[in-house]
Amino acid sequence: MASMDVATGTIFLSQTVFGTLGNFSLLYHYLFLYSTEHRLRPTDLILKHLMIANSLALLSKGVPQTMTAFGFKDFLNEAGCKLVFYLHRIGRGMSMSSICLLSVFQAIMISPRDSTQAELKLKAPKHTGSFVFLCWILAMLANISFPVNVTGKWSDANITMKKDLGYCSGVGNNKLMLSVLAAMLSFPDVLCLGLMIWASGSMVSILHRHKQRVRYIRGNKLSARCSPESTATQRILVLVSIFVSFYTLSSTFQLCIALINNPSWLLVNISAFINGCFPTVSPYVLINHGSSPSKLCFVWPRNKIS
């Protein structure tokens, strides 16, 4: 086994283990809260499902990549390849939907009480669970056609185009159909990104206006204590920023793989590593900002956002 393969396998193994431990730790925390308090805040419910989606995306991609790098060959048949790629797409899609739902929910909750979103502000917490369930259903349905273009490396099917993706192969007999499929799969992502950008812009605007208003009323006599709203909102903004950054990088590499007939081993592995970065990093961002909110928030007055 080449030293480069060992190094690659070690990187994927470390990423998978490190990320899974972080996600499972937060998931245990939320389950413990639910078992002791018998309820979760709407944002905690969304974050719990984000941890589940992150774990699904990490394990379905990281484990096969690690096994391939350590020399295991053709360990997945055609059905196994389709299942693993489908589970990864569901985890990735649900991760994006959770961040989108989290940012939109927080933008609604910190909006002024006399705004046009006042009615949504009252109803949103009651329907959070329904929206999370809907996100899972949409993630499953949106990616149901993705496994069609994946097969085992040993498959003898009549295929005109075949790409080596490491432990499986990407297939396709019609470039036009592949382009249509790519557009269909990209539409939910573009929609979620648009909602995230809108919600993030709204949160920044609301917090800025509130800060300016309080400065005008109280002058410079501001409390050093962070309000819960500002702390939670800025935590979400950091999470959204990290997600968009990694998603942009991931999409760029995936586009390169789609356009190149025979993508290199290095390109496939870099793309897989970047895919796992957000699910690995996000739980530790939440743990850090949850345990030390003063590191994240501005100096705010004692009264809440209204």
Side-chain angles (χ1 to χ4, degrees), residues 121-140:
K121 193 171 183 177
L122 295 174
K123 294 182 178 180
K126 301 176 183 178
H127 300 289
T128 306
S130 299
F131 280 114
V132 170
F133 178 74
L134 180 62
C135 286
W136 278 109
I137 297 299
L138 291 177
M140 294 177 188

Side-chain angles (χ1 to χ4, degrees), residues 106-114 121 202-211 213-214 226-234 300-306:
Q106 189 67 14
I108 293 172
M109 295 311 295
I110 68 169
S111 61
R113 292 192 180 94
D114 57 349
K121 193 171 183 177
S202 298
M203 287 188 281
V204 170
S205 177
I206 290 169
L207 291 179
H208 178 72
R209 288 200 306 268
H210 175 74
K211 187 176 181 180
R213 184 166 62 250
V214 172
C226 298
S227 70
E229 294 88 349
S230 63
T231 302
T233 300
Q234 290 172 61
W300 285 95
R302 293 184 182 276
N303 62 309
K304 294 183 178 182
I305 297 174
S306 59

